[in-house]
């Protein structure tokens, strides 16, 4: 749970995002859907950089169903100009510059101009929009990023500790919430500010939910100023439980909070049902599918929000569950999706997943190992293969490798099985250093670029850690296998695969 805070910040990352440029330390990207629906509109990123020696720099855009990364080509004069896709009214953008992920946002039909000197980034970086209100919002976002990025990282470490009480955890969350939302509300009378304060509210509400504090404690701006009073009126004790069309169209923090909120069995105040809402846990154990259809029918959502919820849930299911489990839910809910862009996205998703169902030939690949040699899946035919897609910045991945995986290697030491560890979130140098410090056993391979890497695309690696079992005949056994820490659930799968040699 420690790194879920970064999903909120870098969704995200993923999670968030394909990593071909070094990203901030400790950033864990947990979900990364790969199927991209048609965008609603576009914006333009342009500008100039001095003393730039690379051919491109990189950014990521958070869509309503997927994040995607873009390489921004820089010509020999230091100029760049790129059109980006926008799903909602506004979308968050993460600029991968100076070994950081700088958070800004773009509105549909927006033009953002970015300039900096690569030899003096801190003192020269600037971003602007020709529209006054949008430009003020950009400057406020840069201020928030500069002022609080260190504190939010430190807060993550503190909240993860079991040595502090819930009241202390809430106090620390609410204290940083106060700082950030008051900064976000610098131009509270401007309509563009509404997105910023809504983002902040749902970011910290998400933290309360994550740490089991939601409902027990309520965010509140502890200030007697007029601005503070307005903020507390806008975001009262249970504002999170009310459906918001504005938040859906402008704030990814809202959508993913709502997804988590409903997953936990809670319901929005505007829903009119007596039974529990749709249960869609994405963690172990596997939920049943009974009641899904009736629950969805009773959710008092608008058409698009309701369809987004179904679509995102199904994407998560196919990314975390066995094919047959996800297929049953898909067949039940797919006919209920009316929004064309979401329906099209689901059709693409299902076509992809059919290629990964049990019994299908495992997609072939060749990747570089830690000795610089190319290792292909074909070379391992005749052995059961257990693949661990992991990342050096993913805390759950590292926990599995350090605490649960050693038992597997001991148990299957003399068996006809190969353990492949495929790192997806790092450059080669960082990966090699991590292997040395962690003593990662098995065959170690790297698939740089994550979402842009063909291997990750073929295996629909929606999040890490992600595990796959391939039989000795080269066919998929389970494209969403159990984690090493799941104990007998995994060993039963592996034993069965070995017995079928």
């Amino acid at each position: 749970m420690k790194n879920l805070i970064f999903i909120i910040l870098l969704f995200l990352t993923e999670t968030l995002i394909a990593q071909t440029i070094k990203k901030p330390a400790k950033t864990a990207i947990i979900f990364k859907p790969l199927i991209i629906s048609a965008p609603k509109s576009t914006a333009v990123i342009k500008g100039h950089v001095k003393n730039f020696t690379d051919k491109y720099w990189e950014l990521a855009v958070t869509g309503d169903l997927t994040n995607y990364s873009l390489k921004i080509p820089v010509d020999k004069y230091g100029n760049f100009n790129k059109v980006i896709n926008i799903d909602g009214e506004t979308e968050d953008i993460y600029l991968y510059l100076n070994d950081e992920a700088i958070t800004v946002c773009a509105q549909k039909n927006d033009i953002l101009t970015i300039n900096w000197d690569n030899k003096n980034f801190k003192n020269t970086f600037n971003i602007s929009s020709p529209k006054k209100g949008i430009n003020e919002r950009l400057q406020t976002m840069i201020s928030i990023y500069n002022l609080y990025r260190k504190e939010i990282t430190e807060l993550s470490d503190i909240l993860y500790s079991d040595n502090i009480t819930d009241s202390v955890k809430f106090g620390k969350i609410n204290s940083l919430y106060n700082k950030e939302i008051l900064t976000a509300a610098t131009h509270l009378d401007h309509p563009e500010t509404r997105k910023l304060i809504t983002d902040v509210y749902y970011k910290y509400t998400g933290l309360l939910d994550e740490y089991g504090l939601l409902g027990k404690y309520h965010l509140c701006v502890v200030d007697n100023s007029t601005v503070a009073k307005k903020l507390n009126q806008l975001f009262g004790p249970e504002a999170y439980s009310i459906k918001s069309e504005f938040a859906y169209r402008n704030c990814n923090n809202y959508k993913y909070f709502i997804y988590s909120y409903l997953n936990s069995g809670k319901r929005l105040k505007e829903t009119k049902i007596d039974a529990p809402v749709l249960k869609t846990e994405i963690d172990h154990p596997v939920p049943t599918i009974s009641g899904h259809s009736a629950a969805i029918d009773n959710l008092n959502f608008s058409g698009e929000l309701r369809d987004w919820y179904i679509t995102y849930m199904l994407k998560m299911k196919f990314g975390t569950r066995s094919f047959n489990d996800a297929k049953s839910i898909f067949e039940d809910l797919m006919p209920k999706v009316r929004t064309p862009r979401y329906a099209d996205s689901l059709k693409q998703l299902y076509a992809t997943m059919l290629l990964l169902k049990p019994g299908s030939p495992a997609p072939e690949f060749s990747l570089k190992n830690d000795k610089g040699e190319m290792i292909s899946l074909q070379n391992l035919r005749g052995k059961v293969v257990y693949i661990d897609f992991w990342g050096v910045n993913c805390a759950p991945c590292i926990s599995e490798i350090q605490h649960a995986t050693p038992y597997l290697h001991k148990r299957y030491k003399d068996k006809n099985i190969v353990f492949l560890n495929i790192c997806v979130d790092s450059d080669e140098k960082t990966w090699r250093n991590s292997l040395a410090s962690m003593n990662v056993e098995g065959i170690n391979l790297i698939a740089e670029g994550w979402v842009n890497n063909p291997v990750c695309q073929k295996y629909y690696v929606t999040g890490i850690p992600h595990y796959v079992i391939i039989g000795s005949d080269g066919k998929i056994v389970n494209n969403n296998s159990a984690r090493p820490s799941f104990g007998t659930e995994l060993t039963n799968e592996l034993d069965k695969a070995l017995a079928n040699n």
Side-chain angles (χ1 to χ4, degrees):
M1 297 297 288
K2 177 180 181 180
N3 290 83
L4 288 181
I5 191 170
F6 294 100
I7 304 171
I8 300 169
L9 290 172
L10 301 176
F11 181 87
L12 357 256
T13 151
E14 141 295 77
T15 32
L16 167 193
I17 312 145
Q19 301 196 8
T20 55
I21 294 178
K22 185 192 287 186
K23 306 303 186 300
K26 293 189 178 181
T27 301
I29 299 86
I30 306 301
F31 297 108
K32 188 188 295 293
L34 304 180
I35 305 299
I36 302 174
S37 52
K40 294 179 180 178
S41 58
T42 61
V44 173
I45 301 286
K46 67 175 187 176
H48 178 78
V49 53
K50 295 180 180 179
N51 299 308
F52 196 73
T53 56
D54 294 323
K55 294 182 179 180
Y56 64 88
W57 58 278
E58 200 171 8
L59 59 76
V61 181
T62 60
D64 56 2
L65 288 175
T66 183
N67 303 324
Y68 70 94
S69 64
L70 278 179
K71 293 178 180 179
I72 310 299
V74 178
D75 67 21
K76 63 181 180 180
Y77 303 107
N79 300 313
F80 52 88
N81 192 312
K82 185 75 172 180
V83 175
I84 63 173
N85 294 329
I86 299 294
D87 281 341
E89 295 297 320
T90 57
E91 292 293 355
D92 293 326
I93 301 174
Y94 300 93
L95 311 175
Y96 295 146
L97 299 170
N98 198 41
D99 290 342
E100 297 281 357
I102 302 172
T103 312
V104 295
C105 70
Q107 196 161 311
K108 64 179 181 180
N109 304 321
D110 209 350
I111 299 176
L112 303 185
T113 301
I114 306 172
N115 298 290
W116 77 92
D117 185 334
N118 218 43
K119 290 185 176 180
N120 187 18
F121 183 88
K122 183 177 180 180
N123 295 318
T124 61
F125 173 82
N126 67 80
I127 181 170
S128 63
S129 169
K131 300 177 182 178
K132 181 181 178 181
I134 294 176
N135 187 60
E136 288 176 341
R137 181 172 64 192
L138 282 172
Q139 306 317 313
T140 302
M141 292 189 80
I142 294 298
S143 294
I144 289 172
Y145 174 79
N146 288 331
L147 288 170
Y148 308 121
R149 70 182 185 276
K150 182 178 180 181
E151 286 191 64
I152 199 72
T153 301
E154 293 173 347
L155 178 63
S156 173
D157 293 332
I158 294 170
L159 295 177
Y160 191 64
S161 171
D162 294 327
N163 298 323
I164 59 174
T165 64
D166 285 352
S167 61
V168 172
K169 288 181 180 179
F170 169 73
K172 292 185 177 299
I173 291 173
N174 198 59
S175 176
L176 191 51
Y177 166 73
N178 272 246
K179 293 180 182 180
E180 191 165 334
I181 201 164
L182 286 170
T183 302
T186 299
H187 303 285
L188 188 57
D189 56 328
H190 295 186
E192 292 84 2
T193 298
R194 186 179 176 190
K195 178 218 167 14
L196 294 189
I197 59 176
T198 304
D199 269 337
V200 173
Y201 173 75
Y202 281 104
K203 177 166 70 177
Y204 287 91
T205 298
L207 285 180
L208 293 182
D209 191 31
E210 176 186 336
Y211 289 95
L213 305 175
L214 193 66
K216 183 178 180 181
Y217 299 96
H218 302 289
L219 296 173
C220 178
V221 183
V222 185
D223 192 311
N224 291 322
S225 66
T226 301
V227 170
K229 292 177 181 177
K230 288 183 178 179
L231 289 171
N232 286 331
Q233 289 174 349
L234 286 170
F235 304 114
E238 295 186 350
Y240 55 82
S241 66
I242 301 173
K243 175 172 63 71
S244 170
E245 286 293 329
F246 172 84
Y248 161 67
R249 298 186 183 282
N250 290 273
C251 304
N252 283 307
N253 285 347
Y254 169 78
K255 283 181 284 193
Y256 301 112
F257 165 74
I258 290 299
Y259 179 79
S260 175
Y261 185 72
L262 294 175
N263 271 1
S264 65
K266 302 182 183 75
R267 59 185 179 183
L268 298 178
K269 283 188 174 181
E270 293 184 1
T271 60
K272 299 177 181 179
I273 56 176
D274 296 323
V277 296
L278 176 65
K279 197 74 173 173
T280 58
E281 295 95 336
I282 57 173
D283 291 324
H284 176 74
V286 179
T288 62
I289 64 168
S290 60
H292 277 181
S293 182
I296 283 288
D297 284 341
N298 285 319
L299 288 176
N300 188 26
F301 284 166
S302 66
E304 276 200 27
L305 178 55
R306 180 174 174 272
D307 287 353
W308 172 84
Y309 179 78
I310 295 173
T311 304
Y312 188 74
M313 183 269 289
L314 287 171
K315 284 176 175 287
M316 290 298 189
K317 287 296 183 185
F318 275 113
T320 58
R321 293 300 178 203
S322 71
F323 176 82
N324 289 333
D325 287 333
K327 178 176 179 287
S328 297
I329 303 172
F330 177 88
E331 290 174 343
D332 185 29
L333 297 182
M334 172 64 191
K336 303 179 186 300
V337 177
R338 297 288 183 265
T339 306
R341 64 192 305 267
Y342 295 143
D344 290 345
S345 181
L346 285 175
K347 290 174 183 176
Q348 294 177 51
L349 170 66
Y350 190 64
T352 298
M353 299 315 300
L354 281 174
L355 300 175
L356 294 171
K357 68 179 181 179
S360 299
E364 292 291 341
F365 62 82
S366 293
L367 291 171
K368 184 187 297 185
N369 69 8
D370 50 340
K371 298 177 182 178
E373 304 165 335
M374 296 304 293
I375 303 296
S376 69
L377 184 62
Q378 178 66 36
N379 296 148
L380 303 175
R381 184 67 57 85
K383 294 181 179 292
V384 173
V385 180
Y386 182 65
I387 304 178
D388 175 359
F389 288 95
W390 71 290
V392 300
N393 297 305
C394 169
C397 303
I398 294 171
S399 178
E400 292 287 337
I401 289 171
Q402 293 181 333
H403 303 296
T405 303
Y407 168 76
L408 290 181
H409 288 276
K410 182 179 180 180
R411 177 186 174 98
Y412 295 102
K413 181 178 180 181
D414 299 317
K415 303 296 183 180
N416 190 39
I417 186 170
V418 174
F419 293 91
L420 289 186
N421 310 302
I422 302 179
C423 179
V424 303
D425 77 335
S426 175
D427 58 75
E428 190 169 338
K429 181 179 178 181
T430 303
W431 167 63
R432 289 180 185 277
N433 290 338
S434 296
L435 291 178
S437 63
M438 293 168 54
N439 190 30
V440 183
E441 298 181 77
I443 298 176
N444 291 297
L445 309 176
I446 185 168
E448 292 188 71
W450 196 340
V451 71
N452 296 316
N453 191 287
V455 178
C456 296
Q457 293 172 349
K458 288 177 181 178
Y459 282 87
Y460 194 66
V461 182
T462 61
I464 51 176
H466 179 91
Y467 303 92
V468 178
I469 298 177
I470 299 172
S472 58
D473 58 359
K475 294 182 179 180
I476 296 287
V477 173
N478 190 348
N479 189 54
N480 285 305
S481 179
R483 296 184 180 194
S485 62
F486 284 6
T488 56
E489 182 176 341
L490 173 59
T491 56
N492 288 343
E493 275 193 306
L494 294 175
D495 291 345
K496 184 176 180 180
L498 287 167
N500 291 332
N501 276 339

